Amino acid sequence: MSARKLKVATCSLAGCFGCHMSFLDMDERIVALIDHIEFDRSPLTDIKQVSDCDIGLIEGGLCNEENVHVLEAFRKHCKILVAVGACAINGGVPALRNHYTVQECLEESYLNGLGVVDPQIPADPALPALLPKVIPIHSLVSVDYFLPGCPPPADAFV
Ligand code: SF4
């Protein structure tokens, strides 16, 4: 009888999807991995809601309330959680906004920035509220492993 395959899921929060692109840079080595793992929610499937998994890889930090809900749900479903890349580990590029208030960021982006047309700050209640600061995922949930880099190279994922 063959061994049970490990179930692996990935998720993206406040990141650029570059870590996922590096994950996909494993290229044909992913085919060899399929003997040992199966993918749940990931760039290789069209699964929208994660189910119980052995390993969860998470890219990006927390910049808004939706990120918080997604991370909490993801953590509950993953036996082992891996923070992937600088944004998940320390906030990364999005955390550059931490030098400013949320209001200052919104005004620069939507009112005063170069090339802004019809200046107005988005106020649709469906938009997730921004957190006061961008924070790493270990600020909210326990993290089992850290895979550093911006992005981590494909070899590291393998
Ligand atoms: S760590 Fe780098 S590559 Fe990964 S999401 Fe952040 S900015 Fe993008």
Side-chain angles (χ1 to χ4, degrees), residues 12-22 59-61 84-94 147-152:
S12 182
L13 303 174
C16 73
F17 223 71
C19 288
H20 273 81
M21 296 306 293
S22 187
E59 164 196 308
V84 172
C87 296
I89 294 171
N90 61 28
V93 174
L147 198 60
C150 181

Side-chain angles (χ1 to χ4, degrees), residues 8-11 17 20 23 39-47:
V8 176
T10 77
C11 187
F17 223 71
H20 273 81
F23 175 84
F39 287 104
D40 193 83
R41 177 181 168 169
S42 74
L44 298 166
T45 65
D46 194 31
I47 299 170

Side-chain angles (χ1 to χ4, degrees), residues 14 56 64 83 85-86 93 134 141 152-153:
N64 64 34
V93 174
V134 176
V141 299

Side-chain angles (χ1 to χ4, degrees), residues 4-8 52-56 77-80:
R4 184 182 74 85
K5 289 185 179 181
L6 293 174
K7 198 185 269 194
V8 176
D52 288 342
C53 288
D54 297 292
I55 302 172
H77 283 292
C78 297
K79 286 185 197 156
I80 293 173

Side-chain angles (χ1 to χ4, degrees), residues 23 30 46 57 79 81 84-85 107 112 124 156:
F23 175 84
I30 291 175
D46 194 31
L57 305 171
K79 286 185 197 156
L81 187 71
V84 172
E107 288 178 6
N112 307 322
D124 189 318

Side-chain angles (χ1 to χ4, degrees), residues 63-75:
C63 82
N64 64 34
E65 287 178 354
E66 183 195 30
N67 295 155
V68 170
H69 297 314
V70 170
L71 177 60
E72 286 176 336
F74 198 71
R75 171 70 273 191

Side-chain angles (χ1 to χ4, degrees), residues 13-15 60-64 67 86-88 90-100 102 105 130-137 139:
L13 303 174
L62 301 158
C63 82
N64 64 34
N67 295 155
C87 296
N90 61 28
V93 174
L96 290 173
R97 81 154 158 93
N98 290 353
H99 298 288
Y100 305 93
V102 168
C105 292
L130 293 174
L131 302 179
K133 300 288 179 196
V134 176
I135 53 175
I137 66 170
S139 303

